[in-house]
Amino acid sequence: MKVLIRQLQESEIPAADRVFRLAFGTFIGLPDPMEFGGDANFIQSRWHANPSAAFAAIADRIIGSNLVTRWGSCASFGPLSVHPDWWNQKIAQRLIEPVVECFNTWNIQQAGLFTFPNSPKHHALYQKFGFWQRFLTVIMAKPVQQSQPVPQVIRYSQMDREQRSSILKESLTLTDSIFAGLDLSQAIIAVETQKIGDTVFLWDEKSLAGFAVCHCGAGTEAGSETCYVKFGAVRLGQNVEERFEQLLDLCETLTVQMSMSRLVAGINTSRHEAYRRMIARGFRTEITGIAMHRPNQPGYCRPDVFVLDDWR
């Protein structure tokens, strides 16, 4: 049967979500594959963030999908999923092709993905497109109960239009200093527009010291009772470790304020000191994956960088 690759339509999101759960649940061997991901939703929020960069494989129905996340000069893709009935028929490869076209059109300087660390088949597929394995990325979680004094939390949802415009510019200045062109402005706006969480900001006597873009609760990428840090970063330089701890404090406070009980964040283990500090705070690894980069360069996955992210 002929398979068509085209943009994913909004009406097709539920079907793409079902294929995603079935594919991943089957691959990891769940008794009921459709339970994969629980009540978190990875397809919907990413589609709404960038509909033109969400792709579907169509036979007589939706048989696969792939979505692109762009952060300025950096981008990632996933979840890439194909219905098990169509495995080993090069559908995944065809779903990557338009993604790479997006990367080339946008002049992306650092592209990446998160995949299974123990699957040579996945590694070989992505290597065909110039992606290469680097460090492990771990998805870590900890229970949160606010018992210490609560720090003041500055949230994007509580700002007026002028404040929002200013903070987006300052967040770009911060991320651009970490990796040229890295820009989370659209991610911040998307979370607010979709009402799926909030972004918290850390200030010091100089300027913006850090921020974290978070999803909260069922129907988002977080899932029930969970505050999930989609991306978090602090300004480099002297006292960066303390700023990182303070940003995690704000994330824990937001977790409580949003009536969640669990904080989840991803960290690439190349950022060793940030990873070590998360362990010391009580975060424990729930999922281990490997980051693959195109080109095969560190990007912002460096020891001096204190960034939380997740390319799943």
Side-chain angles (χ1 to χ4, degrees):
M1 185 180 296
K2 184 178 179 180
V3 176
L4 173 67
I5 307 296
R6 59 161 172 76
Q7 288 182 348
L8 178 69
Q9 304 303 305
E10 184 173 10
S11 62
E12 297 168 332
I13 292 174
D17 181 75
R18 289 191 293 272
V19 172
F20 155 68
R21 295 178 192 277
L22 177 63
F24 278 85
T26 299
F27 184 81
I28 66 175
L30 291 181
D32 180 359
M34 296 305 294
E35 292 184 353
F36 181 84
D39 60 8
N41 193 321
F42 291 86
I43 306 293
Q44 183 167 292
S45 62
R46 299 184 192 194
W47 187 92
H48 282 287
N50 195 349
S52 66
F55 303 98
I58 313 292
D60 57 338
R61 62 192 189 284
I62 293 279
I63 62 167
S65 65
N66 194 10
L67 296 93
V68 180
T69 298
R70 183 182 182 186
W71 296 336
S73 64
C74 301
S76 61
F77 70 82
L80 167 59
S81 57
V82 176
H83 194 289
D85 291 347
W86 290 83
W87 286 356
N88 302 315
Q89 297 186 50
K90 299 187 183 300
I91 306 301
Q93 183 170 314
R94 292 185 59 192
L95 280 166
I96 298 173
E97 290 168 356
V99 168
V100 172
E101 288 181 13
C102 286
F103 293 164
N104 293 337
T105 299
W106 297 337
N107 193 28
I108 294 299
Q109 298 302 301
Q110 187 68 66
L113 62 97
F114 175 107
T115 193
F116 301 98
N118 58 340
S119 177
K121 182 176 180 179
H122 285 82
H123 304 163
L125 167 65
Y126 300 131
Q127 286 168 0
K128 292 179 181 178
F129 294 90
F131 293 89
W132 297 94
Q133 302 97 314
R134 306 252 342 156
F135 279 79
L136 296 176
T137 294
V138 290
I139 312 303
M140 308 184 78
K142 68 169 292 187
V144 175
Q145 291 181 332
Q146 195 80 57
S147 56
Q148 59 188 16
V150 177
Q152 181 182 6
V153 179
I154 303 173
R155 293 162 54 172
Y156 187 77
S157 64
Q158 299 169 338
M159 296 179 175
D160 61 30
R161 180 179 297 181
E162 185 176 339
Q163 290 171 324
R164 289 181 178 184
S165 176
S166 176
I167 199 68
L168 291 175
K169 292 176 182 177
E170 295 200 46
S171 71
L172 173 56
T173 298
L174 190 154
T175 52
D176 184 70
S177 70
I178 294 173
F179 185 86
L182 177 62
D183 183 3
L184 274 292
S185 300
Q186 293 306 309
I188 295 170
I189 293 170
V191 165
E192 173 60 19
T193 301
Q194 298 179 49
K195 305 300 181 185
I196 55 177
D198 214 333
T199 302
V200 294
F201 298 93
L202 174 69
W203 295 84
D204 62 16
E205 65 281 358
K206 294 181 180 179
S207 60
L208 182 68
F211 68 94
V213 186
C214 302
H215 290 216
C216 298
T220 76
E221 295 183 31
S224 287
E225 303 300 322
T226 301
C227 177
Y228 158 67
V229 182
K230 180 72 174 179
F231 181 94
V234 295
R235 192 178 65 238
L236 301 182
Q238 188 177 8
N239 301 321
V240 62
E241 297 90 349
E242 288 75 9
R243 287 193 289 276
F244 185 65
E245 297 280 2
Q246 292 168 353
L247 184 64
L248 290 173
D249 287 341
L250 293 184
C251 291
E252 293 191 20
T253 298
L254 179 67
T255 302
V256 174
Q257 291 181 345
M258 299 294 281
S259 300
M260 304 291 141
S261 60
R262 205 168 72 103
L263 179 61
V264 172
I267 182 77
N268 188 275
T269 55
S270 65
R271 307 170 202 141
H272 173 73
E273 184 58 27
Y275 173 47
R276 190 188 68 79
R277 286 180 175 263
M278 291 184 71
I279 294 173
R281 287 180 72 104
F283 282 89
R284 295 296 178 262
T285 297
E286 293 189 339
I287 301 171
T288 300
I290 192 164
M292 298 185 69
H293 289 196
R294 177 183 187 262
N296 187 13
Q297 296 174 0
Y300 61 86
C301 293
R302 312 186 307 266
D304 64 311
V305 170
F306 285 69
V307 163
L308 302 169
D309 66 352
D310 177 2
W311 291 349
R312 284 181 295 169

